[in-house]
Amino acid sequence: MSEVILSGVKKSFGDRSVIKGVDLEIRSGELLVMVGPSGCGKTTLLRLIAGLEAMEEGDIYIGGRKVNELVPRDRDISMVFQSYALYPHMSVRENMAFGLTLRRLPAGEIDERVAEAAELLGIAGLLERRPAALSGGQRQRVAMGRAIVRRPKLFLFDEPLSNLDAGLRVQMRGEIARLHRRLGATMIYVTHDQVEAMTLASRLAVFDSGRLLQSGPPLELYHRPANRFVAQFLGSPAMNMLEARLESGRLSGRGFSLTAPADLSAASGPVLVGLRPQDLHLADQGPIRGCIEAIERLGSDGYAFLSTEAGPVAARFDPDSPVSVGAQAQVAPWGDSLYVFSPDGQRALRHPGRDAVRQTAAQP
């Protein structure tokens, strides 16, 4: 049993509060990804779990044991850092074995654990090399191997792929996902990269300004965000947000008017309308008009970025179509794809139906 429970966890640096009462449960065997912008507190929270920082209030339990007063070495965790933290004068074998040597494990058991981890990570042929002779991806595998050999209750990853180039990040994401499946271990992974978060997580926890905003399966958060921040943080390009007024079955804002979904027809007042770029398309006749200021052609997809009276709007288009910067364009939504939020963005008032989401995602 290696679940992790955080209850009312708070942390400040001087007069600056960085963790503001976090309650979170990480289930045994789960890969939970903590995601959010730089400075949101996710790395500080990871360090509190590891015992590298002292919290001011709250409790942390690992495997059913309260660890508030335990030093890091007594929490039965392994941590993989962004910087690899390998000893340059030691071989790969010595780096991986170092923690076990300090714990005075028998030499035969150390060799067995190192060999097993090296085989799992595909670095068995590198054991006699030193870190300077390794690529970035190989060094990260060694850092993970050093964590694996300890066989801890809990693995902590602090933005481990941020120093790698784009191609290696994709490869290493696959390696970490495969490692999690093979080990079945509890893992907490911190990143600001939403692609890493969406592709790796069993469950996501989205943070901003020291607060946990929402947690759940990645697609659940993507399709049913609790507020504007989560909606715009997950998804690329970010969800379009338009100020509007709901009245008489219409959603009207500066330069546009949309038919309100039937489930909101009786409501009225100011709102925010959310539209994902993937749910918008360039049309001959559309309710949103503007000038194309930039385009991105990404192979199978294209995105046009428009300046409109209501504000900036991004919409998907066929990358083979003759779209050009400076052209006037009209934009229309596919089917039932409207999200609606409270005027301050703190609360979702409406999500598209799941069937509607799947239908619009399949549009060309």
Side-chain angles (χ1 to χ4, degrees):
M1 185 174 67
S2 53
E3 79 278 3
V4 180
I5 298 173
L6 310 180
S7 177
V9 174
K10 294 183 180 180
K11 172 68 178 177
S12 298
F13 292 109
D15 59 358
R16 184 169 65 94
S17 177
V18 293
I19 302 295
K20 302 171 182 177
V22 170
D23 297 297
L24 181 63
E25 181 178 342
I26 299 95
R27 304 179 190 100
S28 182
E30 184 172 50
L31 199 169
L32 178 111
V33 177
M34 299 196 299
V35 66
S38 296
C40 72
K42 56 191 184 297
T43 291
T44 298
L45 190 59
L46 195 76
R47 291 175 63 83
L48 291 174
I49 296 169
L52 300 175
E53 299 282 356
M55 62 184 176
E56 283 131 27
E57 292 184 36
D59 296 308
I60 297 176
Y61 298 85
I62 299 176
R65 180 174 63 158
K66 188 174 177 178
V67 298
N68 292 26
E69 307 301 327
L70 296 183
V71 297
R73 67 173 177 271
D74 294 332
R75 297 193 180 199
D76 198 11
I77 61 171
S78 282
M79 192 162 182
V80 179
F81 296 93
Q82 176 181 343
S83 62
Y84 316 137
L86 302 178
Y87 295 107
H89 63 286
M90 293 184 180
S91 68
V92 168
R93 184 190 303 277
E94 290 167 335
N95 266 284
M96 291 175 64
F98 185 69
L100 303 181
T101 303
L102 289 181
R103 291 165 59 188
R104 301 180 184 276
L105 265 66
E109 183 176 352
I110 292 175
D111 290 343
E112 180 181 337
R113 290 195 188 189
V114 169
E116 180 182 335
E119 186 66 31
L120 180 65
L121 293 165
I123 55 174
L126 306 177
L127 290 176
E128 306 311 321
R129 296 190 190 180
R130 292 192 176 182
L134 305 177
S135 67
Q138 290 169 336
R139 291 179 193 179
Q140 194 55 273
R141 284 188 178 89
V142 176
M144 288 194 292
R146 184 178 53 194
I148 290 168
V149 297
R150 292 192 55 206
R151 298 177 182 172
K153 284 184 179 177
L154 176 64
F155 289 88
L156 305 177
F157 293 86
D158 184 14
E159 305 217 35
L161 309 184
S162 59
N163 287 336
L164 305 180
D165 62 42
L168 268 178
R169 282 202 301 272
V170 173
Q171 180 182 347
M172 290 303 297
R173 283 204 305 265
E175 293 287 342
I176 292 171
R178 183 175 64 87
L179 185 65
H180 177 250
R181 289 193 300 270
R182 289 280 298 273
L183 296 178
T186 306
M187 297 182 176
I188 304 175
Y189 188 106
V190 161
T191 182
H192 65 274
D193 185 327
Q194 57 150 305
V195 176
E196 267 180 44
M198 292 292 290
T199 55
L200 276 175
S202 308
R203 192 158 55 99
L204 277 184
V206 180
F207 289 83
D208 185 44
S209 301
R211 289 188 171 88
L212 173 62
L213 300 186
Q214 190 176 2
S215 66
L219 287 179
E220 180 73 18
L221 268 62
Y222 179 83
H223 290 310
R224 302 186 64 81
N227 52 51
R228 172 181 182 163
F229 182 90
V230 176
Q232 291 195 294
F233 191 82
L234 299 178
S236 181
M239 182 184 287
N240 302 297
M241 287 288 173
L242 307 177
E243 293 182 359
R245 183 167 186 83
L246 176 59
E247 197 165 27
S248 301
R250 305 293 297 179
L251 287 161
S252 302
R254 294 182 60 186
F256 75 93
S257 182
L258 300 164
T259 301
D263 52 358
L264 290 178
S265 59
S268 64
V271 294
L272 287 174
V273 175
L275 284 160
R276 292 203 180 277
Q278 296 82 359
D279 294 331
L280 291 174
H281 65 286
L282 302 185
D284 293 334
Q285 295 292 326
I288 302 171
R289 298 171 174 83
C291 177
I292 298 176
E293 294 196 329
I295 58 175
E296 291 181 354
R297 287 185 167 89
L298 307 172
S300 61
D301 279 326
Y303 289 98
F305 299 86
L306 289 77
S307 173
T308 77
E309 282 189 58
V313 170
R316 184 183 179 190
F317 72 94
D318 182 344
D320 293 325
S321 63
V323 175
S324 59
V325 173
Q328 296 295 313
Q330 299 185 49
V331 174
W334 291 116
D336 177 18
S337 54
L338 293 180
Y339 292 78
V340 181
F341 300 87
S342 60
D344 61 4
Q346 296 301 306
R347 185 166 56 95
L349 304 178
R350 185 202 189 255
H351 305 107
R354 284 303 185 90
D355 291 338
V357 169
R358 285 195 289 270
Q359 181 182 353
T360 59
Q363 295 286 352

